[in-house]
Amino acid sequence: MDFFRHDDLCFGKTNEIFHEFRAEINSIFEKTGLLYTLTPNKVIERVAENGLLSSEIETQVQQISEPGTRELMKEAIALCKTPYPLARKDSVEKIWDALERLKTYYANLDKKDSAQKIVEDMSNGQAEFVELFDTEFRTLTKIGNSFRIRHHETDKTEIKDDRHYDYFFNRCLSLIALAIQYLQ
């Protein structure tokens, strides 16, 4: 009786039928310009135009040893990939939470020193990169506190264009994806 559930398709005992179905659906998405894909896991995901999210980044996220940061990143990525436009807002909030959690990655250090260690490791001893990455962390923190991303007081700037959520997500993802390559 599972066949009759509204969210479940039955393809019999062979994956060949599903692969043909998937190819046809993805062809329709492509021909009509819909930015979605049916994955091998039978999930429809949004394909973000100009997005940075890749399977390599997802693999790096799986390797983050601090469980809280890893889980926030996984949630942010899953929300970003969902076809539901309202999930973009939630994906940005989660990735900003991950950024804040990342700053406390080194539990034996306070937040400021932990963030500074991450910046120094990313910079490979080059003063120009220390300044660049320190500025980027501070700027992203300011964005998270000024716009309705992490805080929802009436004095925060409202984000009315969904494309701005994609921009914020990709900007934050870019810094985090680089930073996690340097974590010890």
Side-chain angles (χ1 to χ4, degrees):
M1 288 307 234
D2 283 348
F3 178 80
F4 295 104
R5 287 182 31 201
H6 74 281
D7 61 347
D8 200 13
L9 293 175
C10 181
F11 293 99
K13 296 182 180 185
T14 176
N15 282 331
E16 184 178 325
I17 297 169
F18 171 72
H19 292 301
E20 290 174 17
F21 175 78
R22 180 175 170 249
E24 287 183 39
I25 292 295
N26 286 334
S27 175
I28 292 168
F29 286 154
E30 189 175 324
K31 286 177 186 175
T32 59
L34 292 173
L35 296 174
Y36 300 106
T37 187
L38 178 59
T39 70
N41 297 329
K42 301 176 183 151
V43 175
I44 294 180
E45 292 181 348
R46 180 173 77 102
V47 178
E49 281 186 301
N50 306 314
L52 300 173
L53 190 56
S54 66
S55 58
E56 292 81 12
I57 289 174
E58 290 186 69
T59 299
Q60 290 173 349
V61 165
Q62 295 294 338
Q63 297 169 359
I64 298 172
S65 63
E66 199 282 309
T69 305
R70 183 178 57 245
E71 289 308 311
L72 286 167
M73 286 298 297
K74 286 168 53 177
E75 286 179 52
I77 289 168
L79 286 165
C80 179
K81 291 166 71 173
T82 183
Y84 307 109
L86 294 175
R88 292 180 192 173
K89 175 181 174 254
D90 295 334
S91 72
V92 170
E93 185 175 339
K94 287 293 180 197
I95 202 165
W96 243 266
D97 289 344
L99 175 70
E100 291 303 316
R101 178 84 181 217
L102 177 68
K103 292 183 204 174
T104 63
Y105 186 82
Y106 296 105
N108 60 327
L109 302 172
D110 66 21
K111 185 175 186 176
K112 181 180 177 184
D113 291 339
S114 177
Q116 192 60 42
K117 177 171 177 28
I118 293 169
V119 166
E120 288 172 10
D121 290 346
M122 291 170 64
S123 303
N124 291 322
Q126 292 183 275
E128 296 84 2
F129 283 99
V130 169
E131 182 180 344
L132 173 74
F133 296 134
D134 187 59
T135 299
E136 186 66 0
F137 270 104
R138 290 178 193 279
T139 300
L140 290 175
T141 298
K142 184 177 178 184
I143 290 169
N145 292 334
S146 300
F147 290 82
R148 284 196 61 199
I149 293 173
R150 300 185 67 238
H151 303 286
H152 302 281
E153 295 89 350
T154 57
D155 65 335
K156 304 304 175 200
T157 303
E158 187 76 34
I159 303 167
K160 296 178 182 176
D161 188 329
D162 285 344
R163 293 169 290 191
H164 295 163
Y165 284 117
D166 286 340
Y167 165 75
F168 286 140
F169 183 89
N170 286 318
R171 182 163 179 184
C172 195
L173 177 65
S174 180
L175 183 64
I176 292 172
L178 180 63
I180 62 179
Q181 294 177 54
Y182 292 90
L183 299 176
Q184 300 170 3

